[in-house]
């Protein structure tokens, strides 16, 4: 049976939601290390490694035969389950180390993050050394079709470092699924995830950096300021797959990624001493109500954003995604079209220093 280390599965209207998984080490999941369904779940500050650990049993038939003789599998799966419409909605994946997904026995799923959910915020993660794709947003027509929502849609993938992936077994599925970032349809070549935003990521030294469908998907995916050259990492050593600290993908002095990040979104209209901010894209942020109630105000907090200038920062108190309206904790003033950055993340960690954010998962000390 397809089971990982942890599996969260739910119907749309049940209570398998608002779970938080933080500060854990996940490894050797048979199908994945964590399989997420339900709504408003948080996966943050964990270490994942799922390299080959299961020896191939010669008495059994497998579709794949890894050169090492050992099977692994993907690290994180956001579900769109056919037998139980438990599509993952509104999931935050933040600040994790996600590495070394190994060749599975059944398919090409040696993926860091495989996203068949809707509205997934993926930010400030180190994703490295996975045999297949680093980040994969896929359309899979199962549970999500019940609500006319395409799985893999509304993804917000920003400020991640996706490094040296796609070098798994060359004999398995060729080079089709060995990319740093892949936006693809699992079932049909004319049916794709929609409204996917990929900004300010380092995508470097993967077997191939990008795979984004064909021309019919390109207008549905927003790219801004992703960096594909050498970012000058502190220590990219990947020799110890169980390490909790290596590779060290922080930026070294002189990195071209420092202060090079683009704004995440813009203000739609001006405000003077206002508590209500309308933005072009509200799906980038969360208001502190996601995850377990036990973490609220303890380890999990609302996002802070900077509006117009780096110093003009404020805490979010509520978000109306339908109207793209953010309610602020204190009044601010801004011009129409003001640039908006994330100032601090869900752990209260400041992620904006200097004149602009750094590209990638790590903000250099100033």
């Amino acid at each position: 049976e397809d089971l990982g280390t942890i599996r969260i599965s739910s119907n749309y209207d049940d209570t398998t939601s608002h779970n938080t998984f933080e500060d854990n080490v996940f490894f050797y999941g048979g199908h994945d290390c964590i399989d997420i369904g339900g709504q408003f779940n948080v996966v943050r500050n964990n270490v994942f490694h799922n390299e080959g650990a299961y020896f191939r049993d010669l008495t059994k038939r497998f579709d794949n035969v890894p050169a090492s003789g050992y099977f692994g599998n993907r690290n994180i799966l956001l579900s769109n389950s056919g037998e139980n419409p438990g599509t993952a909605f509104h999931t935050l994946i933040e600040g994790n180390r996600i590495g070394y997904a190994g060749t599975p026995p059944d398919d090409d799923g040696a993926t860091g993050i495989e996203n068949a959910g809707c509205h997934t915020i993926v930010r400030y993660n180190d994703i490295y050394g996975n045999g297949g794709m680093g980040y994969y947003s896929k359309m899979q027509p199962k549970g999500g079709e019940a609500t006319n929502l395409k799985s893999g849609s509304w993804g917000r993938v920003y400020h991640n470092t996706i490094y040296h992936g796609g070098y798994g077994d060359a004999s398995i599925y060729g080079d089709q699924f060995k990319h740093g970032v892949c936006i693809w349809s699992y079932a049909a070549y004319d049916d794709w995830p929609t409204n996917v935003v990929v900004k300010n990521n380092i995508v470097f030294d993967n077997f191939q950096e990008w795979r984004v469908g064909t021309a019919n998907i390109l207008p549905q995916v927003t790219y801004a300021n992703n960096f594909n050259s050498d970012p000058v990492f502190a220590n990219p050593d990947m020799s110890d797959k169980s390490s909790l600290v290596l590779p060290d993908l922080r930026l070294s002095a002189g990195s071209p990624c420092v202060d090079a990040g683009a704004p995440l979104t813009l203000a739609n209209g001006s405000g003077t001493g206002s508590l209500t901010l309308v933005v072009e894209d509200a799906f980038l942020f969360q208001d502190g109500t996601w995850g377990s109630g036990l973490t609220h105000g303890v380890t999990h907090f609302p996002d802070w954003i900077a509006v117009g200038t780096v110093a003009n920062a404020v805490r979010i108190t509520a978000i109306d995604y339908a109207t793209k309206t953010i309610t602020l904790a204190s009044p601010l003033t801004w011009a129409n079209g003001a640039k908006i950055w994330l100032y601090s993340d869900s752990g209260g960690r400041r992620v904006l220093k200097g004149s602009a954010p750094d590209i990638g998962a790590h903000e250099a000390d100033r």
Side-chain angles (χ1 to χ4, degrees), residues 172-203:
I172 298 171
Y173 285 83
D175 61 358
Q176 289 189 64
F177 295 99
K178 295 183 177 180
H179 300 74
V181 173
C182 181
I183 316 294
W184 203 254
S185 173
Y186 194 80
Y189 288 95
D190 58 354
D191 200 5
W192 305 96
T194 61
N195 194 350
V196 177
V197 174
V198 185
K199 289 187 175 182
N200 288 344
N201 301 281
I202 294 171
V203 184

Side-chain angles (χ1 to χ4, degrees), residues 131-201:
M133 294 162 289
Y135 173 82
Y136 176 26
S137 190
K138 68 176 183 178
M139 165 57 189
Q140 184 172 4
K142 288 185 177 180
E145 64 191 5
T147 56
N148 296 316
L149 297 174
K150 292 183 177 181
S151 64
S153 297
W154 309 345
R156 296 297 183 266
V157 183
Y158 63 92
H159 285 293
N160 301 280
T161 297
I162 304 173
Y163 172 63
H164 196 73
Y167 293 96
D169 290 299
S171 61
I172 298 171
Y173 285 83
D175 61 358
Q176 289 189 64
F177 295 99
K178 295 183 177 180
H179 300 74
V181 173
C182 181
I183 316 294
W184 203 254
S185 173
Y186 194 80
Y189 288 95
D190 58 354
D191 200 5
W192 305 96
T194 61
N195 194 350
V196 177
V197 174
V198 185
K199 289 187 175 182
N200 288 344
N201 301 281

Side-chain angles (χ1 to χ4, degrees), residues 182-232:
C182 181
I183 316 294
W184 203 254
S185 173
Y186 194 80
Y189 288 95
D190 58 354
D191 200 5
W192 305 96
T194 61
N195 194 350
V196 177
V197 174
V198 185
K199 289 187 175 182
N200 288 344
N201 301 281
I202 294 171
V203 184
F204 174 63
D205 195 36
N206 298 282
F207 183 81
Q208 295 183 39
E209 308 297 6
W210 303 93
R211 189 186 198 202
V212 186
T214 54
N216 63 338
I217 191 177
L218 295 178
Q220 303 169 19
V221 180
T222 298
Y223 293 93
N225 226 40
N226 297 289
F227 193 82
N228 303 127
S229 300
D230 186 358
V232 193

